[in-house]
Every structure is written in structure tokens, then in C-alpha cells.
Amino acid sequence: MIQGAVVPMLAATLAAATGEAPFVVALDPGHGGSNRGAPTAKPELFEKHLTLELARLVQKRLQNEPGLKVVLCRSSDVLLPIRARTRCANQAGARLFVSIHANAASVEEGPGSQRGFEIFVLPASDVDQEVAQAALLAEDDAQAAWAGHRARTAAADSLAAARRIRWRLADALGSDRDRGIKQAGATLDVLQGLDMPAVLVEVGFLDHAEEGPFLLSEEGKRTVAAALAGAITDLRSRELRGRREPMTTAPGGPRRAAQSATVSGPRP
């Protein structure tokens, strides 16, 4: 037996013995198949290739983490409907959903003029719709209230997840690449209908003269994957602390957490 594998195996054995459910993370590599996503300087490579590679690298980095399981909602170059991605996460019992994407500047902005990463969560109006939908599906008022509470708590936890991912990416790529946490400016339907906190991450701009080649390089992919994996382990640890000492990680409960959360736009 490899000595370095003893600690993860022991921790996993202890987790199984206590009946603790694993922290399941659903990774959604954006695009796929005929939906190629943003182009790159290499005619044979598109956003869909990078997102799948990043998801696989994150999964590989986390495969020996005790009490943590990574599910890929797209594991090959196939066209996958949005609802299939949502269903993948819900059926896996995921406690976190991360949709991975890469950017390209709009015609108005000017191709190659933008760079940096940004993270998206559902806007408040979409959360309200999720709450209303949950209430419609509930069998009685008590279940409707509980479903609404879960939806709003997931929204607050999504912001917490976005902040942690933002911190890790800024640390890895530089704070000058930080375009902030946003609730508009991207198609966010993949974040709807989920039973867990969810974020969409744009790791950078593929059409930027420097950032594009870096993201496609082995160093770039390793750097981004390490940051995402680090954020996931941070969030796993946060959840464990919350179970042991709830008041230290959620002072005032979900309502206060949602009220105190901040969403920021691009830095100057």
C-alpha cells in the first residue's frame, strides 16, 4: 500500500463508519457536441474542449479527498440539454453545482479587448420564481414554506460559494483579473431548477492575446483547476464546521446571510 494513501483511506473509512453522506459536487463542463462555445486561436479547439478538460482535472485533484465525490454532468464531447445538466446534479444529490465556462468579448466590446474571470449566481428575481415554483409543487402550506426556505438558503449559499471561488481564482490568477460576482450578463438558465447552491464560472477570455493561450496551456489549465478544487475543499470544510458549530458559519441564519451578501461588478 502506498503510504500517502493511508490517511485518505482511513478518513474515508471513518466517514463511512459514522454514516456521514459524502459532499457531492456536480461539475458541468459548458457546451459540448455541436454547441462548441467560444472559439480560440487554434481552429480545432473551442470552449467546449477547455471546459471538459478543466472539469476532468478538478475531478482528478479531488478523487482522493475523503468524504467528497465529484460527478461530471458531461463526461464526453456531446450536446447536452440544459435540463439534463440540472437533472444530473439533482439526481446525484449534489450539495454544490459548478458550471464551467470560458469567455469571448462581444462585437460591441471588441474581440480581444477583455480579460479576467467572473462568477455568476441567480438574480433575486429568479430566486423569487424558484420559491414560487416550489410553493406550487408543495402539497400543503407547511411544505411550501419549507421549500421556499430551502430555495432562499441555497441562494445565500450560492453567494458564499461564489465568494470562495472568486478568492481562490484571484489568488491564483491575480486580483487584476477579478471581474467580480454578477447576477446578469450571462445566460443563467443552467442555474435554475437546482436543489443546491449553484454558480457559473467564466474562467477567462479565450480571444485575449495573452489570456487565451495561457488558459489553453498545461500551466493555465492546472492553475485554474487547482483554484477550483481548492475552493471546493474550502466549501466542504465550511459545511463540516457548520454541522459542528452552526452559529460560527451562519450567524443569524440564512435570512441574515442573504441580506449581508454582496454582489460586485468588474473592478476598474
Side-chain angles (χ1 to χ4, degrees):
M1 180 181 294
I2 300 174
Q3 187 174 1
V6 172
V7 173
M9 287 181 62
L10 177 59
T13 301
L14 290 173
T18 58
E20 180 183 307
F23 184 86
V24 179
V25 180
L27 295 182
D28 170 44
H31 305 279
S34 59
N35 184 357
R36 300 181 297 184
T40 74
K42 299 180 178 181
E44 73 279 9
L45 288 180
F46 291 86
E47 178 185 356
K48 66 173 185 175
H49 298 112
L50 175 62
T51 60
L52 182 56
E53 276 199 73
L54 288 174
R56 286 172 171 166
L57 284 172
V58 174
Q59 184 182 45
K60 185 176 181 179
R61 279 184 168 272
L62 297 176
Q63 64 185 357
N64 292 323
E65 284 290 325
L68 200 154
K69 177 182 178 182
V70 177
V71 173
L72 298 188
C73 290
R74 178 171 74 84
S75 57
S76 61
D77 185 17
V78 295
L79 179 64
L80 197 64
I82 293 296
R83 288 309 112 206
R85 300 170 192 261
T86 302
R87 188 164 57 249
C88 157
N90 287 338
Q91 290 180 348
R95 308 239 272 281
L96 177 66
F97 177 86
V98 181
S99 189
I100 303 173
H101 291 258
N103 238 326
S106 66
V107 175
E108 293 77 13
E109 293 169 328
S113 64
Q114 305 296 310
R115 67 177 182 177
F117 67 88
E118 52 196 11
I119 304 156
F120 293 86
V121 296
L122 281 180
S125 58
D126 283 14
V127 175
D128 289 341
Q129 291 180 12
E130 298 273 292
V131 171
Q133 182 68 21
L136 286 174
L137 297 175
E139 295 182 1
D140 52 45
D141 290 344
Q143 287 191 13
W146 174 243
H149 166 76
R150 288 183 60 188
R152 296 199 183 281
T153 299
D157 288 343
S158 296
L159 282 167
R163 287 195 295 269
R164 176 48 53 170
I165 294 172
R166 178 188 188 185
W167 184 87
R168 282 282 189 170
L169 285 172
D171 185 58
L173 302 175
S175 58
D176 60 323
R177 301 293 194 269
D178 180 3
R179 295 169 62 90
I181 299 171
K182 304 178 180 181
Q183 293 177 293
T187 303
L188 301 178
D189 49 354
V190 74
L191 302 183
Q192 297 173 348
L194 291 163
D195 298 332
M196 75 291 301
V199 299
L200 185 150
V201 182
E202 297 274 8
V203 299
F205 283 77
L206 291 174
D207 61 343
H208 188 272
E210 295 179 4
E211 190 168 79
F214 173 74
L215 290 172
L216 295 176
S217 71
E218 293 306 312
E219 179 189 359
K221 287 180 284 192
R222 286 196 304 268
T223 299
V224 172
L228 294 176
I232 289 168
T233 56
D234 290 345
L235 292 164
R236 163 64 172 163
S237 298
R238 179 179 183 271
E239 182 182 274
L240 288 176
R241 288 197 305 273
R243 290 183 193 173
R244 295 170 187 144
E245 305 172 58
M247 295 306 293
T248 65
T249 55
R255 181 181 297 274
R256 183 176 298 178
Q259 290 173 342
S260 63
T262 58
V263 177
S264 61
R267 294 185 174 186

